[in-house]
Amino acid sequence: MTRLTLAIDAMGGDFGPCVTVPAAMQALASYSQLYLLLVGDPDAISTSLATADPALRARLQIIPAGSVIASDARASQAIRHSKGSSMRIALELVKEGRAEACISAGNTGALMGLAKLLLRPLEGIGRPALMTVLPNQQQGKTLVLDLGANVSSDSAMLVQFAVMGAVVAEEVLAIPCPRVALLNIGEEESKGLESIREAAAVLRDLPAINYIGYLEGNDLLTGKTDVLVCDGFVGNVTLKTMEGVVRMFLSLLKSQGEGKKRAWWLTLAGRLLKKRLARRFGHLNPDQYNGACLLGLRGTVIKSHGGAHQRAFLAAIEQAEQAVRRQVPERIAARLQAVLPKSD
Amino acid sequence: MTRLTLAIDAMGGDFGPCVTVPAAMQALASYSQLYLLLVGDPDAISTSLATADPALRARLQIIPAGSVIASDARASQAIRHSKGSSMRIALELVKEGRAEACISAGNTGALMGLAKLLLRPLEGIGRPALMTVLPNQQQGKTLVLDLGANVSSDSAMLVQFAVMGAVVAEEVLAIPCPRVALLNIGEEESKGLESIREAAAVLRDLPAINYIGYLEGNDLLTGKTDVLVCDGFVGNVTLKTMEGVVRMFLSLLKSQGEGKKRAWWLTLAGRLLKKRLARRFGHLNPDQYNGACLLGLRGTVIKSHGGAHQRAFLAAIEQAEQAVRRQVPERIAARLQAVLPKSD
């Protein structure tokens, strides 16, 4: 493994350095060739670093930033006043080649906008898209995009998302000839929004894409497809709905039977069983797959949940590490030209 | 209780009379004042009725229909050729006052279109909406609409959905001053589609509506709101996503530990615990709340899942029975004029 440097927006997210710094230390402990640039308020970062292992600390550098983009700021305004902010500096480090990827839990709209501005889209890509990898019931993985990089999408954007998803599924997840589906409100051709029907017509005629048709919301986790494509609004709502239901189940499971007096053997068996159930469902826990990859740019940007805790933010760092090692942007760029329909 | 007559499209759904007829018999057994009109192919219905209790059979009448609207037919085309179909005749029975409500598991688009054509929207309502009632984590209920009666919605439609949802929550579910939220991809005012932001601006200024702002997909079941409003595409995908995740959990729960050899006490405790978990999660089982109510018409129409089995189709019949008893259309009509902004 070769040396790898990532830039972290240490101030982003609901908890800032309280979460990003311990997660960064954990990542350094796990990957001996990893170097991290922590961008943000040096005082706040240093406080969180007080008890850090000096050996790991040596592979970490603080990059000072004078401001933080508020998570509830309007994206356009935030971008206009982004100079000197932790998020912008982290992205600039990627642009300048000082870091190979950037991770932020900050304002999604600002991150998308700034990333597009600074790292620019790949040729053939109008708008980047947020993608995540979900575990499915077939023990496989399903890529879902867009998760909210764009509020709405026309058919050309949906086709580009499909191509990018297919490339990542094939090149990174090693799924040969990955199945690609469009998320819709019915499986019949006549269903849904015009943009989706138009995208379907284009995808059906693209020989390089294994397009399998429409799928509905209930197929998000069934593994019927390898890539599921939708517009950013729908993707965001769908993913959050799924996460809400999974969290509710996991918390019900955890609290089940607590505080009740019962026979020792029932208590013991209950604990054993709950452990097994938690293991069986645990892979669906949103913390396990936190981190959405912004696809379609000349660089790697990972968006973490704003509310991510240490374990989840670590998962986002790991995703950045993998995306860089597997050269996601380069592989997309290389395949894009061959796959995308020529615009003439 | 007074006598009540419902019309059932016996041919609709994936299973037709095999499901609708036994569910109808079960409903008749449960409600002694219920009379049912089963619309469809008399031979097919009679076959399914072969073993029916004659006492119940006396409260059931077969209304012959010569055709069935295919579930994958394009709505516009299906409506044009709907004359004599089981779905259309069932709706006509409501229009003519022979039945007080109609239940169908058939083609959603055709049902929406025909219902609007035959039963006409209430004054002040541009487009009817599909609504369902979901159980939430606070032991309460959350009304969600639109679930797909319309593919897209402008701000005026979203406002009308909000008003109808609030009226049903207050008048039918007896929730005083029900909270109303818009489903969006962030809680900040600047987030989301223009139609949603415009609807929010109108709802904030409507004194009769207790508008509480935006909620995200992960709040579908948290009980933070009594009414959750979204466009039909998003509502459909969200509800189906939730159902898919719930079904997956319930099936994992059911299969947990099956076929494994282990100590008797562990097996016994496992069974006990699974029963408790199933009870705790069971209320989320889509079969328990099947049936979406088409709001905004001068009559009651309940849409059942196409894939509903007997238990689920029975739930749809029961929902029709309740909607009629609680006079949903009349109550909406009565309150609508006072609540809706005057269009001038």
Side-chain angles (χ1 to χ4, degrees):
Chain A
M1 288 253 224
T2 51
R3 183 186 158 127
L4 186 153
T5 306
L6 304 177
I8 294 179
D9 168 11
M11 313 306 286
D14 300 350
F15 312 105
C18 301
V19 156
T20 56
V21 174
M25 296 314 294
Q26 221 182 323
L28 289 171
S30 304
Y31 302 92
S32 60
Q33 291 302 309
L34 183 64
Y35 289 74
L36 294 178
L37 307 175
L38 260 60
V39 190
D41 172 11
D43 289 344
I45 297 174
S46 298
T47 308
S48 294
L49 275 173
T51 57
D53 176 350
L56 299 179
R57 178 73 181 75
R59 285 188 275 124
L60 181 152
Q61 191 186 336
I62 298 176
I63 309 287
S67 65
V68 181
I69 292 177
S71 61
D72 59 351
R74 199 184 278 261
S76 55
Q77 208 156 359
I79 292 168
R80 255 197 311 280
H81 302 98
S82 61
K83 216 172 167 190
S85 67
S86 56
M87 183 189 285
R88 182 171 185 133
I89 293 175
L91 285 163
E92 284 168 347
L93 290 168
V94 179
K95 188 188 178 184
E96 295 157 7
R98 290 178 62 195
E100 286 159 276
C102 151
I103 303 112
S104 175
N107 187 310
T108 308
L111 185 66
M112 305 298 102
L114 277 174
K116 197 182 163 199
L117 197 74
L118 296 169
L119 303 182
R120 291 189 327 196
L122 294 166
E123 212 179 311
I125 295 296
R127 305 283 302 261
L130 267 176
M131 176 220 77
T132 199
V133 179
L134 294 180
N136 67 41
Q137 279 174 276
Q138 309 298 322
Q139 321 294 330
K141 297 191 166 182
T142 301
L143 274 86
V144 189
L145 73 169
D146 173 26
L147 301 174
N150 312 280
V151 177
S152 58
S153 307
D154 61 21
S155 62
M157 284 163 74
L158 292 174
V159 171
Q160 290 169 14
F161 300 166
V163 172
M164 291 197 289
V167 171
V168 176
E170 192 160 359
E171 302 280 352
V172 180
L173 297 184
I175 300 170
C177 197
R179 296 159 299 169
V180 176
L182 289 164
L183 184 59
N184 204 341
I185 57 172
E187 298 193 5
E188 303 84 29
E189 271 191 31
S190 61
K191 288 280 170 116
L193 301 165
E194 205 182 327
S195 56
I196 297 175
R197 293 199 303 269
E198 283 175 12
V202 175
L203 288 170
R204 264 194 297 272
D205 288 342
L206 274 189
I209 297 291
N210 179 14
Y211 173 68
I212 60 165
Y214 299 146
L215 285 180
E216 300 186 65
N218 44 334
D219 280 320
L220 186 66
L221 302 176
T222 53
K224 283 193 190 166
T225 188
D226 301 304
V227 180
L228 188 60
V229 176
C230 53
D231 75 47
F233 189 94
V234 170
N236 185 292
V237 170
T238 303
L239 191 77
K240 285 187 176 152
T241 297
M242 187 212 80
E243 289 179 356
V245 178
V246 170
R247 277 187 205 281
M248 191 199 62
F249 264 94
L250 292 177
S251 85
L252 277 177
L253 212 56
K254 223 173 149 189
S255 66
Q256 172 66 16
E258 263 173 19
K260 276 188 195 160
K261 277 213 162 188
R262 49 187 186 188
W264 66 269
W265 60 275
L266 208 54
T267 308
L268 184 62
R271 263 189 228 143
L272 269 172
L273 209 76
K274 275 161 66 177
K275 218 182 232 173
R276 286 193 193 171
L277 282 170
R279 219 177 16 240
R280 186 137 182 196
F281 297 151
H283 67 287
L284 287 172
N285 188 331
D287 289 355
Q288 302 294 320
Y289 56 83
N290 178 43
C293 189
L294 190 59
L295 292 182
L297 294 175
R298 295 164 205 267
T300 297
V301 178
I302 304 289
K303 165 74 178 90
S304 158
H305 257 298
H309 286 282
Q310 186 177 331
R311 173 75 197 75
F313 196 78
L314 174 65
I317 300 175
E318 289 172 336
Q319 207 181 115
E321 191 263 346
Q322 281 185 23
V324 173
R325 294 232 185 268
R326 291 169 185 186
Q327 304 180 292
V328 169
E330 295 80 357
R331 284 174 193 256
I332 290 183
R335 294 263 326 261
L336 216 48
Q337 299 314 314
V339 172
L340 265 191
K342 296 279 171 282
S343 58
D344 41 22
Chain B
M1 287 254 222
T2 51
R3 184 187 158 126
L4 187 153
T5 307
L6 304 177
I8 294 179
D9 168 11
M11 312 306 287
D14 300 349
F15 312 107
C18 302
V19 156
T20 56
V21 173
M25 297 313 293
Q26 221 183 323
L28 290 171
S30 303
Y31 302 93
S32 61
Q33 290 301 309
L34 183 64
Y35 289 75
L36 294 178
L37 307 175
L38 258 61
V39 189
D41 173 11
D43 290 344
I45 297 175
S46 298
T47 308
S48 294
L49 274 173
T51 57
D53 177 350
L56 300 178
R57 179 73 182 74
R59 286 189 275 125
L60 181 151
Q61 193 186 335
I62 299 175
I63 309 286
S67 66
V68 181
I69 293 177
S71 61
D72 60 350
R74 198 184 279 261
S76 55
Q77 207 155 359
I79 292 169
R80 254 198 311 280
H81 302 98
S82 62
K83 218 173 164 189
S85 68
S86 57
M87 183 190 283
R88 183 171 184 133
I89 293 176
L91 285 164
E92 284 169 346
L93 290 168
V94 179
K95 189 188 177 185
E96 296 158 7
R98 288 177 62 194
E100 287 158 275
C102 151
I103 303 113
S104 175
N107 187 311
T108 309
L111 185 66
M112 306 295 103
L114 277 173
K116 199 183 161 197
L117 197 74
L118 296 170
L119 304 182
R120 292 191 337 226
L122 293 166
E123 211 179 313
I125 295 295
R127 303 285 300 261
L130 267 177
M131 177 218 76
T132 200
V133 178
L134 294 180
N136 67 42
Q137 279 173 278
Q138 309 298 322
Q139 322 293 330
K141 296 187 166 180
T142 300
L143 274 87
V144 189
L145 74 169
D146 175 25
L147 301 174
N150 312 280
V151 176
S152 59
S153 307
D154 60 21
S155 62
M157 285 164 73
L158 292 174
V159 171
Q160 291 168 14
F161 300 166
V163 172
M164 292 197 288
V167 171
V168 175
E170 192 161 358
E171 302 279 353
V172 179
L173 297 183
I175 300 171
C177 198
R179 296 160 299 171
V180 176
L182 289 164
L183 184 59
N184 204 341
I185 57 172
E187 298 193 3
E188 303 84 28
E189 271 190 31
S190 60
K191 288 282 171 117
L193 302 164
E194 204 182 329
S195 56
I196 296 175
R197 294 200 303 270
E198 283 175 12
V202 175
L203 288 170
R204 264 194 297 272
D205 288 343
L206 275 188
I209 297 291
N210 179 14
Y211 173 67
I212 59 166
Y214 299 146
L215 284 180
E216 299 185 65
N218 44 335
D219 280 321
L220 186 67
L221 301 176
T222 54
K224 282 192 189 167
T225 188
D226 302 303
V227 181
L228 189 59
V229 176
C230 54
D231 75 47
F233 189 94
V234 171
N236 184 291
V237 170
T238 304
L239 191 77
K240 284 186 177 153
T241 298
M242 187 211 80
E243 290 178 356
V245 179
V246 170
R247 279 188 205 279
M248 191 200 61
F249 264 95
L250 292 177
S251 85
L252 277 178
L253 213 55
K254 222 172 150 188
S255 66
Q256 171 67 15
E258 265 173 18
K260 278 187 194 159
K261 275 212 164 187
R262 48 186 184 190
W264 66 268
W265 59 275
L266 207 54
T267 308
L268 185 63
R271 264 190 226 144
L272 270 171
L273 206 76
K274 274 162 68 177
K275 219 182 231 173
R276 285 192 194 172
L277 283 170
R279 216 173 25 234
R280 186 138 182 195
F281 297 151
H283 66 287
L284 287 173
N285 188 329
D287 289 353
Q288 302 294 319
Y289 57 83
N290 176 43
C293 189
L294 190 58
L295 292 181
L297 294 174
R298 296 165 205 265
T300 297
V301 178
I302 304 289
K303 166 74 178 89
S304 158
H305 259 300
H309 286 281
Q310 187 177 331
R311 173 73 198 79
F313 196 77
L314 174 65
I317 300 175
E318 290 172 336
Q319 208 183 116
E321 190 263 348
Q322 281 183 23
V324 173
R325 294 232 185 268
R326 291 171 185 183
Q327 305 181 291
V328 169
E330 295 81 356
R331 284 174 194 256
I332 290 183
R335 295 260 327 259
L336 216 48
Q337 299 313 314
V339 172
L340 266 191
K342 298 278 170 285
S343 59
D344 42 22

